[in-house]
Amino acid sequence: MRTGAVNSASEDRFDVPHEELRFADRHDAGRRLASICEPLRSQRPIVIAIPRGGVPVAAEVARALAAPLDVIVVRKVGAPWQPEYAIGAVAEGGVRIIARDDLSLLGISPRELEGLVAAAERELEERRERYRGRGGPPEVRGRTVLLVDDGLATGRTARAAAHALRERGAARIVLAVPVAAAQSLGEMEGVVDEILALQVPEQLLAVGFWYDDFSPTGDDEVAALLRDGRAGPGVEAGERTTDATARERNVDAGAGVRVPGTLTLPRDALGIVAFAHGSGSSRMSPRNRQVAEALHRQGFATLLFDLLTADEELDRANVFDIPLLAARLVAATAWLGRQPETAELPLGLFGASTGAAAALIAAADLGPRIGAVVSRGGRPDLAAERLGEVTAPTLLIVGGHDIEVLELNRRAQRRLRCENDLEVVPGATHLFEEPGALETVSALAIDWFRGHLRLAAAGS
């Protein structure tokens, strides 16, 4: 058995880190957990999450190992007066794990227990259909399974999940969690083959205690992460196996001005996203190109183009001429509408810094032509007078440590009348240079465009 990042020579030894760890959220925990799961890559594991909270953690592990992601549907059987306290758990395949000692201690009768179990099994079936539809469970026979949850308290849901996986023929089960109660780890001996844990505190208190953000994971998020993660080995989680062709084009920016641009077209593109750079940045912006590459892997076309000519860039005032930048973006979308390969694609806008204000003004001007807008570290406040006119669903993404810009985004959000959301990336600063920050931005943007451009296409 192995815990933490240290290999133990003793099967019974727990290596408890001296420095206590806290996690920003489940995605942060997953990225950290992936580092000690790396040695399993050679075994080509399948990553199985315990929903719902375990799915964001497992998604990061699966992404890091280029492994497929799926779930084992398990439901806790909670005590009647304290549902969060697990007296047992049920799992797919009719598995039941019940803490018989707790029943007498808590005065729960056999009849009362049967009612609690029946309710848990009904909810289990509902969730199984929600996550998997008519599809069957993942094939694990003969494989190494990396079983992931957001933490281990009593361990009863993990125990039920492991039993269900063992019954389906898993050759080896490795339980991986960011934080775990030491007693529960001991009780998992013989149930799983190996345990990986980042933190094994003397007193767990509660799993949520070890997270800054432990807000509930919604079913929509679970479904989206599973759609991404079922791509399979050899394809990063969320990627489509599709070719993308990049072409350098001269883009008509209006008023007789033509600017250089890069138009990238995957096969059977789902939509196209035009980028509006900010603060004097060009189409070569490494951060926007990274987001664009993530979109390509999801099957979205992109247009990255220079909003200003080389001569115009010499005048710093042009960088903050938001109406000019917005007019250039409107003209570029008209140019896309004249190209045979992009004319029929639903269109989204992605703006960064001052480019976000330009994107929002362009969206106000273009109305239903724009299916969705995403702002990264943007200044939507610079479009304040036009925000109420934007009809396209708008996502504002801001770094948690970008305090001033975060407040400006909150004020701007209050002026929006369209469908909108504000996502804060924990620990990120204005340029999202921190490890994993841009990956989080890309994932948020992909989910937003995937949902809303599909709706735009259906309504056209």
Side-chain angles (χ1 to χ4, degrees), residues 165-178:
L165 292 167
R166 199 73 82 182
E167 287 186 2
R168 296 220 301 271
R172 189 163 182 265
I173 300 174
V174 180
L175 175 65
V177 291

Side-chain angles (χ1 to χ4, degrees), residues 380-381 396 398-400 402-416 420 422 424:
D381 56 296
L396 308 175
V398 188
D402 195 4
I403 304 301
E404 183 178 350
V405 171
L406 177 56
E407 179 56 31
L408 292 172
N409 273 255
R410 284 173 172 152
R411 293 177 188 173
Q413 185 186 23
R414 290 194 286 269
R415 304 186 73 155
L416 289 169
N420 64 83
L422 173 63
V424 179

Side-chain angles (χ1 to χ4, degrees), residues 295-356:
L295 286 164
H296 302 156
R297 294 193 293 268
Q298 291 287 341
F300 288 96
T302 64
L303 174 66
L304 293 95
F305 70 105
D306 294 346
L307 289 169
L308 300 172
T309 66
D311 288 340
E312 289 169 337
E313 287 177 354
L314 298 176
D315 184 353
R316 187 67 180 167
N318 288 328
V319 173
F320 297 96
D321 189 342
I322 306 301
L324 171 64
L325 302 181
R328 294 283 167 86
L329 188 54
V330 168
T333 63
W335 177 81
L336 286 171
R338 296 193 295 272
Q339 310 310 305
E341 63 268 50
T342 59
E344 300 301 321
L345 294 177
L347 175 61
L349 302 178
F350 184 99
S353 190
T354 53

Side-chain angles (χ1 to χ4, degrees), residues 162-205:
H163 277 293
L165 292 167
R166 199 73 82 182
E167 287 186 2
R168 296 220 301 271
R172 189 163 182 265
I173 300 174
V174 180
L175 175 65
V177 291
V179 61
Q183 180 180 345
S184 296
L185 285 185
E187 292 171 356
M188 292 299 294
E189 283 193 64
V191 179
V192 298
D193 300 289
E194 185 177 0
I195 297 176
L196 301 176
L198 288 169
Q199 176 72 323
V200 187
E202 291 184 7
Q203 287 188 311
L204 178 72
L205 300 181

Side-chain angles (χ1 to χ4, degrees), residues 140-448:
V140 299
R141 184 168 300 279
R143 299 192 64 173
T144 294
V145 173
L146 189 52
L147 179 63
V148 179
D149 203 354
D150 55 10
L152 193 73
T154 65
R156 283 158 193 160
T157 53
R159 181 183 291 267
H163 277 293
L165 292 167
R166 199 73 82 182
E167 287 186 2
R168 296 220 301 271
R172 189 163 182 265
I173 300 174
V174 180
L175 175 65
V177 291
V179 61
Q183 180 180 345
S184 296
L185 285 185
E187 292 171 356
M188 292 299 294
E189 283 193 64
V191 179
V192 298
D193 300 289
E194 185 177 0
I195 297 176
L196 301 176
L198 288 169
Q199 176 72 323
V200 187
E202 291 184 7
Q203 287 188 311
L204 178 72
L205 300 181
V207 170
F209 176 79
W210 301 92
Y211 288 79
D212 292 331
D213 179 0
F214 199 64
S215 52
T217 303
D219 284 330
D220 289 344
E221 181 181 358
V222 169
L225 290 170
L226 290 177
R227 281 195 304 270
D228 287 351
R230 284 171 178 150
V235 180
E236 280 192 29
E239 293 185 7
R240 289 173 28 155
T241 52
T242 182
D243 297 325
T245 303
R247 303 171 185 170
E248 296 301 310
R249 305 289 295 271
N250 286 319
V251 178
D252 183 355
V257 175
R258 300 189 77 82
V259 293
T262 304
L263 179 63
T264 304
L265 290 164
R267 186 176 61 250
D268 300 324
L270 303 175
I272 184 164
V273 177
F275 281 69
H277 315 289
S279 300
S281 183
S282 73
R283 74 188 190 285
M284 304 307 293
S285 161
R287 284 171 287 278
N288 281 347
R289 292 181 80 86
Q290 182 174 332
V291 175
E293 288 166 5
L295 286 164
H296 302 156
R297 294 193 293 268
Q298 291 287 341
F300 288 96
T302 64
L303 174 66
L304 293 95
F305 70 105
D306 294 346
L307 289 169
L308 300 172
T309 66
D311 288 340
E312 289 169 337
E313 287 177 354
L314 298 176
D315 184 353
R316 187 67 180 167
N318 288 328
V319 173
F320 297 96
D321 189 342
I322 306 301
L324 171 64
L325 302 181
R328 294 283 167 86
L329 188 54
V330 168
T333 63
W335 177 81
L336 286 171
R338 296 193 295 272
Q339 310 310 305
E341 63 268 50
T342 59
E344 300 301 321
L345 294 177
L347 175 61
L349 302 178
F350 184 99
S353 190
T354 53
L360 287 162
I361 291 175
D365 287 341
L366 294 168
R369 173 76 177 100
I370 303 301
V373 179
V374 173
S375 162
R376 171 184 65 80
R379 292 290 308 276
D381 56 296
L382 297 177
E385 300 306 317
R386 302 294 305 280
L387 292 176
E389 302 172 42
V390 177
T391 58
T394 297
L395 174 64
L396 308 175
I397 306 173
V398 188
H401 288 172
D402 195 4
I403 304 301
E404 183 178 350
V405 171
L406 177 56
E407 179 56 31
L408 292 172
N409 273 255
R410 284 173 172 152
R411 293 177 188 173
Q413 185 186 23
R414 290 194 286 269
R415 304 186 73 155
L416 289 169
R417 297 292 176 265
C418 57
E419 178 186 348
N420 64 83
D421 199 1
L422 173 63
E423 289 281 357
V424 179
V425 180
T429 51
H430 186 64
L431 296 179
F432 297 89
E433 296 175 305
E434 295 72 23
L438 266 180
E439 288 81 358
T440 300
V441 170
S442 298
L444 290 168
I446 286 164
D447 285 345
W448 195 258

